[in-house]
């Protein structure tokens, strides 16, 4: 994720991954806002689609 940089221990790796995940979420939310996309609806619909295509015991839970 940061080309050429390697973490010296597992905690440094986790911190880096946390930051990268936040960056991805931030930009995804910004794009959704730009295009007036209802993320709550999209998450629900996509979760249902994925569950029917790839059945799993892990189910999206609302209001958790």
């Amino acid at each position: 994720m940061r080309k050429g940089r390697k973490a010296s221990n597992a905690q440094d790796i986790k911190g880096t991954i946390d930051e990268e995940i936040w960056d991805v979420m931030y930009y995804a939310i910004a794009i959704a806002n730009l295009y007036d996309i209802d993320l709550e609806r999209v998450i629900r619909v996509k979760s249902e689609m994925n569950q029917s295509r790839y059945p799993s015991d892990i189910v999206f839970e609302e209001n958790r």
Side-chain angles (χ1 to χ4, degrees), residues 28-43:
I29 292 167
I31 292 168
N33 285 335
L34 182 66
Y35 289 99
D36 199 28
I37 295 170
D38 181 350
L39 286 177
E40 288 183 45
R41 184 188 65 76
V42 169
I43 290 168

Side-chain angles (χ1 to χ4, degrees), residues 39-63:
L39 286 177
E40 288 183 45
R41 184 188 65 76
V42 169
I43 290 168
R44 192 177 323 106
V45 168
K46 185 61 176 166
S47 179
E48 290 169 3
M49 287 173 57
N50 287 348
Q51 185 64 22
S52 68
R53 289 181 186 167
Y54 315 105
S56 170
D57 293 336
I58 301 170
V59 180
F60 175 74
E61 298 177 39
E62 291 189 44
N63 302 320

Side-chain angles (χ1 to χ4, degrees), residues 1-2 7 11-21:
M1 294 188 220
R2 290 192 176 123
Q11 185 57 40
D12 289 344
I13 291 170
K14 185 178 182 307
T16 299
I17 292 171
D18 292 352
E19 292 172 16
E20 297 300 331
I21 289 172

